[in-house]
Amino acid sequence: MTATALIGATLLLPSGPARGQAVVIEHGRIAAVTAADALPPEAMVEDLAGGWLLPGFIDTQVNGGGDRLFNDAPSVETIRAIAAAHRRFGTTGLLPTLISDDVGVIEAAITAVEAAIAAGVPGVLGIHIEGPHLNPAKRGIHDATKFTALDPAMIARLCAPSRGVRLVTLAPELAPPGAIRTLSDHGVIVAAGHSMASYAETRAALDQGLAGFTHLFNAMTQLGSREPGMVGAALEDRRSRFGLIVDGWHVHPASLRVALAARGIDGAMLVTDAMPVVGGARPSFSLGGREITTVDGACRDAQGTLAGSALSMAQAVRNAVGLLGCTLTEGSRMASANPAAFLGLDRHTGAIAVGYQADLVQLDQDLRVRRSWIAGDASNTGDGA
């Protein structure tokens, strides 16, 4: 197989921006990062004609896209459509995310994701099961009638051997004793969310293997002067990571800037919490029998409750730069390297480095997506605007 050399763009390497460099791709992986004028003679050279070449974005919370909602039809076809919609916005790896639902739907979703990975659907890394083991007091848009206790049968199902990553969001204060440790010991990534856990309860969960926090600030106990809450525990802990929905609606940008100042860039991951409108043609959709409408970039039900987002990862990176004052290097890290590390995939993807899978995204000078690559396979469709 002939190697392909990508030249002409500024590379965003782990060490920072690099000009005059080329990425050599062979067998779906990065074979070399070298000077553009020192390429192997057999390489097929492709000039990207400017812009930035970044590691592809990794999104750990994707409820839908392309007018499809994962809960509505948890199938390989649905997953393929969602992944294709998000690829237009530079997402080269994602976790289809199931919102709280019945046990049968959870089982179907797990089966569908495993089948999608077996079928080689581009970009599918595993599954995120958000609920139904959540606290009704912080239900958000979730249907509290679907909430159930985390019982031994579900723990056993979640711990069963699987293809890909398995991420579970739960309310740690409601988890049975030892459940978080059992899940963690079996390779399940456990995140806290939709929770009333106190600071002490959250710290105890972290000691049991809690790995992160789903959409920091949203649907959890807040930082206070005498009770630091879940937010305080998340900002203090140096082992875990938290997701940030940087859409200007879920959290005030100043609060996000404070979180980054307190914990540092390495603790944060950009997530979209995306709904079907991302990459879709329709501004509204149905969620559990409720009509959700997108107005001014926010998805809400008739009562005004936020219902996921209309955010893409490309827009999240632009917002990290424009709203939070991050450099592109920092935005890229939160969109690629940090989620890869959170998912335990940082030896394989999330960076432009030799030996890594060639998961890449090209941005223009306005940080709009031109192209993407998944395992070296190029797509010429970007967000374009």
Side-chain angles (χ1 to χ4, degrees):
M1 181 176 180
T2 303
T4 299
L6 305 179
I7 67 169
T10 300
L11 308 187
L12 210 52
L13 304 178
S15 57
R19 295 174 175 81
Q21 297 287 299
V23 175
V24 180
I25 301 172
E26 194 168 6
H27 303 296
R29 296 196 169 271
I30 298 173
V33 179
T34 187
D37 57 2
L39 294 172
E42 69 276 10
M44 182 176 69
V45 178
E46 185 172 353
D47 191 343
L48 301 181
W52 297 86
L53 190 64
L54 279 63
F57 305 141
I58 299 173
D59 193 349
T60 64
Q61 191 175 10
V62 181
N63 310 300
D67 294 320
R68 305 286 188 96
L69 182 69
F70 189 36
N71 282 68
D72 283 350
S75 66
V76 173
E77 179 188 4
T78 297
I79 293 167
R80 191 185 302 274
I82 291 171
H86 283 269
R87 186 172 182 181
R88 289 174 47 202
F89 304 95
T91 297
T92 60
L94 55 78
L95 300 184
T97 301
L98 191 77
I99 302 165
S100 296
D101 216 318
D102 297 325
V103 171
V105 179
I106 296 172
E107 181 66 42
I110 292 172
T111 301
V113 167
E114 294 192 348
I117 293 172
V121 176
V124 181
L125 303 177
I127 188 171
H128 180 174
I129 303 170
E130 187 185 2
H133 316 299
L134 308 177
N135 195 314
K138 291 289 186 181
R139 64 184 180 275
I141 199 64
H142 288 244
D143 182 355
T145 67
K146 303 292 186 183
F147 290 180
T148 60
L150 182 59
D151 60 23
M154 180 55 72
I155 292 173
R157 181 63 185 91
L158 294 173
C159 290
S162 66
R163 294 177 183 268
V165 173
R166 190 164 292 174
L167 169 62
V168 174
T169 293
L170 52 75
E173 74 277 15
L174 301 181
I180 293 174
R181 172 57 64 198
T182 298
L183 291 168
S184 179
D185 286 348
H186 284 81
V188 179
I189 302 168
V190 183
H194 294 274
S195 168
M196 288 293 293
S198 66
Y199 169 81
E201 288 171 324
T202 306
R203 292 295 317 185
L206 287 163
D207 291 340
Q208 289 295 307
L210 184 74
F213 300 86
T214 299
H215 44 56
L216 187 73
F217 292 108
N218 297 114
M220 63 180 61
T221 52
Q222 301 299 301
L223 174 65
S225 60
R226 293 180 178 85
E227 168 49 52
M230 181 171 283
V231 169
L235 296 181
E236 179 185 50
D237 187 69
R238 289 300 191 257
R239 299 165 294 177
S240 58
R241 287 183 168 86
F242 49 76
L244 298 178
I245 306 174
V246 190
D247 64 352
W249 294 105
H250 277 77
V251 188
H252 194 288
S255 297
L256 296 175
R257 291 193 293 267
V258 168
L260 295 180
R263 175 61 176 84
I265 293 294
D266 284 349
M269 304 178 294
L270 298 179
V271 299
T272 64
D273 198 14
M275 286 297 188
V277 295
V278 177
R282 299 192 294 269
S284 62
F285 59 96
S286 178
L287 177 64
R290 285 171 289 181
E291 185 74 5
I292 309 298
T293 303
T294 307
V295 179
D296 295 330
C299 299
R300 300 183 188 272
D301 68 5
Q303 287 70 47
T305 302
L306 286 169
S309 85
L311 185 67
S312 69
M313 282 297 281
Q315 186 62 57
V317 170
R318 291 193 291 268
N319 288 349
V321 174
L323 297 179
L324 307 187
C326 295
T327 65
L328 182 56
T329 298
E330 292 170 333
S332 171
R333 185 166 186 81
M334 292 190 291
S336 303
N338 291 355
F342 177 64
L343 299 178
L345 302 175
D346 50 322
R347 294 186 179 182
H348 309 285
T349 189
I352 298 178
V354 174
Y356 279 49
Q357 186 164 295
D359 298 335
L360 307 164
V361 57
Q362 184 189 11
L363 305 181
D364 64 19
Q365 293 303 320
D366 295 322
L367 307 186
R368 305 284 178 175
V369 175
R370 285 187 183 176
R371 302 179 67 186
S372 65
W373 294 257
I374 297 179
D377 181 41
S379 168
N380 292 321
T381 303
D383 63 345

